[in-house]
Amino acid sequence: DRVMTQSPDSLAVSLGERATINCRSSQSVLYSSDNKNYLAWYQQKPGQPPKLLISWASSRESGVPDRFSGSGSGTDFALTISSLQAEDVAVYYCHQYYSIPLTFGQGTKVEIK
Amino acid sequence: QVQLVESGGGVVQPGRSLRLSCAASGFTFSGYAMHWVRQAPGKGLEWVAVIAYDGSNIYYADSVKGRFTISRDNSKNTLYLQMNSLRVEDTALYYCAKSGEVAWLYDYWGQGTLVTVPS
């Protein structure tokens, strides 16, 4: 199984400041035949289902603000919120869709400092 | 717009069974793989099972294999999860999720239905 490990578990950032969440996979999620990283990021606000923010490690979904960006390849990835807004308070999960069983990171809670 | 509405959750004693349903609308249900993902209270996300668009391929998490059965009725636009031999650790909010163009990546989720197995 591909174990996904996020760091930190929680993060408090001032409004307008940068927030960075890291995600490490126990095995590569880069598929050699198409050179794509099978890694996604989800945002979950309290009382809501998760929302897909980024797929293929760095491809923002339609409607997602451009302050959200994803980076990385192979086993190490990051989600960056360039200028934290109040509405970004949530738990963020990385997720690998490279292989079964599909697995998530444990989540990172982002709060306002 | 895509809508996924789960139902069937409730309180059930350990060892008993429950069947969850997910009614889908707003897209061609028969064209997409569908998943169940669960979230224990205050915890993270755990993938449970996936079924291919035509039911031809099914996969389960080890934690539910042999106890849960995922199925679908494309004529009714409905996804199911039959849960047998329920355990305390199965207590969770169960989401159904639609795959996108990639079968193992979910792009839409329902609001979830809560299953509680008391100790």
Side-chain angles (χ1 to χ4, degrees), chain A residues 42 44 49-50 56 93 95 97, chain B residues 39 95 102 104-106 109-110:
Chain A
Y42 289 88
Q44 187 177 33
W56 308 115
Y93 295 92
H95 166 61
Y97 50 104
Chain B
Q39 187 168 35
Y95 294 104
V102 176
W104 294 346
L105 176 64
Y106 348 101
W109 301 59

Side-chain angles (χ1 to χ4, degrees), chain B residues 42-61:
Chain B
K43 302 297 184 183
L45 300 167
E46 180 188 15
W47 170 78
V48 172
V50 60
I51 184 168
Y53 69 99
D54 60 355
S56 60
N57 288 297
I58 290 173
Y59 300 96
Y60 298 97

